[in-house]
Amino acid sequence: DQVLESGNAVWQVGDKRLNLKRGMVEDVREADLEHRIPELGLPLLVMHSPTDNTVGIENASKIFRAARHPRSFVSLEGSNHLLTTPGQAQRAGRIISAWADPYVTPA
């Protein structure tokens, strides 16, 4: 509400301070992911941690269910939303790299 009223606001996510702007909030509210995701026509990797206190598992599950194959779901046990604990981002990067390998064409 503060973002929409004043045009921007600082949002604390974990130990990070993010500056949210009105346009971003409006874009997120208008996103019709339930219809857009099935139409992507692309492989989709959904990653979520059961210990993520920012976005619930329901959100990741909804995205995964809406996606067409090929699709994959990876649970990042012990990670937080921003992967700030040492080693979390590197682990996620290795998982993404291995998953994307069959879909990426060398330059």
Side-chain angles (χ1 to χ4, degrees), residues 16-92:
K16 303 286 183 189
R17 293 171 57 84
L18 305 174
N19 186 27
L20 297 183
K21 296 185 179 179
R22 180 181 289 122
M24 186 214 170
V25 172
E26 290 170 348
D27 287 348
V28 169
R29 285 186 172 181
E30 293 174 13
D32 183 12
L33 297 182
E34 287 186 65
H35 293 98
R36 301 266 319 190
I37 290 171
E39 297 171 354
L40 287 175
L42 298 168
L44 184 67
L45 171 62
V46 178
M47 301 176 88
H48 188 272
S49 172
T51 54
D52 182 346
N53 294 323
T54 303
V55 176
I57 188 68
E58 311 80 34
N59 184 268
S61 297
K62 189 174 184 180
I63 291 169
F64 183 76
R65 282 192 309 273
R68 306 252 189 258
H69 286 284
R71 64 183 183 170
S72 299
F73 188 99
V74 174
S75 180
L76 297 172
E77 298 87 7
S79 296
N80 61 36
H81 188 71
L82 297 178
L83 305 172
T84 56
T85 300
Q88 289 179 348
Q90 292 82 357
R91 176 176 173 247

